[in-house]
Amino acid sequence: MSQVPDPLLVPASNRSTIVSGNMLAMGSMIAWSMGFPAADILLQSWPAQSLVALRLAVVTAILLPLWVLIDGPRAVMGARWGRGLLVGGIAFGFGTYLLVLAQSITDAVTVAIIASTCPLAAVIIEMVCEGRRLTKGFIVGLFATLIGGLVATGGGSMALGLGALAATGSCFLFCWGSFLTVRDFPSLSPIGRSTLTLAGGCLSMGALTLGLHMWGVDVRPTSTVDLPEIQLILFYAFAGMALSQVMWVASVGRLGVAVASFHINIAPFYVMVLVYALGGSWDLQAALGAGIVAFGVVFAQKGSATGV
């Protein structure tokens, strides 16, 4: 089977690569946004750690056979499983748990506002790990995406305490894990990178849930799991994580984690569009915020390319 081209080897100046990277990031955020309403419903009866463990188990069960089918058994067997499970266990296991925990003890708006720190976290990671130099254009774009994220979410009062701390920690772990997923597994395709690291998240959260159960903590859902709930869990896992993560990893490979993370600030706008499509009202402020973020994304990439 032919080897999948590595996005990291594509020249950064290639316009088609930049366009495809941004389209993948947009698609990833749309799919990711679909998971928030599902999580609100599921968290009414599921403990956060159990829900995350189940979600990651379903995602791994979906992606692993697809990885074998697309890239072949040799690519799967030859992957750096030890490194992948470690990175995924920390970044996408505990990182996802912290995000869901934050949503369960605060609210979706608070989590969306704190998610505006993702671009800042990604820039810090690239500065430390790759020695990124900040251009004027990149700095302007960064601030534009932060402001746009606050505008899109209403800039409301942000609940402090454990919820804010958990969401902030999740942002740093997610960006750190995304950076390592692309850097440390250059021979793998996006689906291979995603499956490898998400399997690590599945193992770490499964171990956490089992440990809590043995400690005497009740990790079971408080209501009977019926067919509608099973369908919701499958949707939450497939759209909100499996599909989203594969596109996200491919985007990071083309744009870098810093620029790709700017798209996270448009996620509240996508949620608003979905609500509007289901009969809700249109939020002009969220649309304005999304426009500011889009300007920031374009300006940052232009500044980086020209070395302003």
Side-chain angles (χ1 to χ4, degrees):
M1 181 170 293
S2 61
Q3 186 175 359
V4 177
D6 182 7
L8 290 176
L9 300 180
V10 179
S13 59
N14 189 309
R15 186 176 300 238
S16 64
T17 300
I18 295 175
V19 171
S20 65
N22 281 285
M23 294 301 294
L24 284 164
M26 290 175 60
S28 173
M29 290 302 102
I30 292 173
W32 184 59
S33 299
M34 293 178 181
F36 278 94
D40 278 339
I41 297 174
L42 292 169
L43 285 170
Q44 295 175 13
S45 58
W46 282 83
Q49 71 278 354
S50 302
L51 179 60
V52 173
L54 177 61
R55 183 190 192 190
L56 284 163
V58 173
V59 167
T60 304
I62 292 173
L63 290 181
L64 188 56
L66 288 176
W67 183 17
V68 175
L69 181 64
I70 294 173
D71 291 349
R74 181 176 297 180
V76 177
M77 297 298 295
R80 298 172 59 193
W81 279 94
R83 177 67 173 173
L85 295 178
L86 177 63
V87 170
I90 297 173
F92 303 124
F94 290 103
T96 302
Y97 169 62
L98 288 176
L99 187 68
V100 175
L101 177 65
Q103 186 174 351
S104 69
I105 61 181
T106 58
D107 55 72
V109 173
T110 299
V111 173
I113 293 174
I114 300 174
S116 297
T117 64
C118 275
L120 182 58
V123 168
I124 292 173
I125 289 168
E126 285 198 350
M127 289 176 64
V128 172
C129 298
E130 287 198 326
R132 165 186 277 277
R133 284 193 314 115
L134 299 184
T135 65
K136 294 178 182 178
F138 190 90
I139 294 173
V140 171
L142 173 62
F143 276 101
T145 60
L146 296 176
I147 294 172
L150 291 174
V151 171
T153 57
S157 60
M158 185 167 54
L160 302 177
L162 182 60
L165 181 62
T168 302
S170 174
C171 287
F172 274 88
L173 285 175
F174 180 72
C175 292
W176 172 77
S178 299
F179 173 80
L180 292 184
T181 297
V182 171
R183 188 197 69 178
D184 292 356
F185 312 105
S187 63
L188 296 182
S189 65
I191 192 171
R193 292 167 174 169
S194 301
T195 307
L196 181 62
T197 50
L198 289 176
C202 176
L203 288 179
S204 67
M205 290 310 303
L208 174 63
T209 304
L210 180 61
L212 289 173
H213 174 70
M214 295 177 63
W215 191 261
V217 178
D218 191 358
V219 296
R220 298 170 298 177
T222 57
S223 62
T224 303
V225 179
D226 53 16
L227 181 59
E229 186 163 312
I230 292 175
Q231 293 173 334
L232 189 61
I233 291 171
L234 291 174
F235 177 80
Y236 182 47
F238 177 74
M241 178 165 277
L243 182 61
S244 172
Q245 187 72 2
V246 172
M247 289 190 292
W248 169 257
V249 169
S251 172
V252 171
R254 289 160 170 77
L255 302 176
V257 67
V259 173
S261 67
F262 288 178
H263 287 269
I264 295 175
N265 287 341
I266 316 181
F269 171 72
Y270 296 144
V271 174
M272 184 266 292
V273 171
L274 293 172
V275 171
Y276 178 74
L278 294 173
S281 60
W282 180 258
D283 190 339
L284 183 60
Q285 183 170 328
L288 175 62
I292 296 173
V293 173
F295 164 79
V297 171
V298 173
F299 201 88
Q301 292 175 79
K302 179 181 179 182
S304 297
T306 59
V308 175

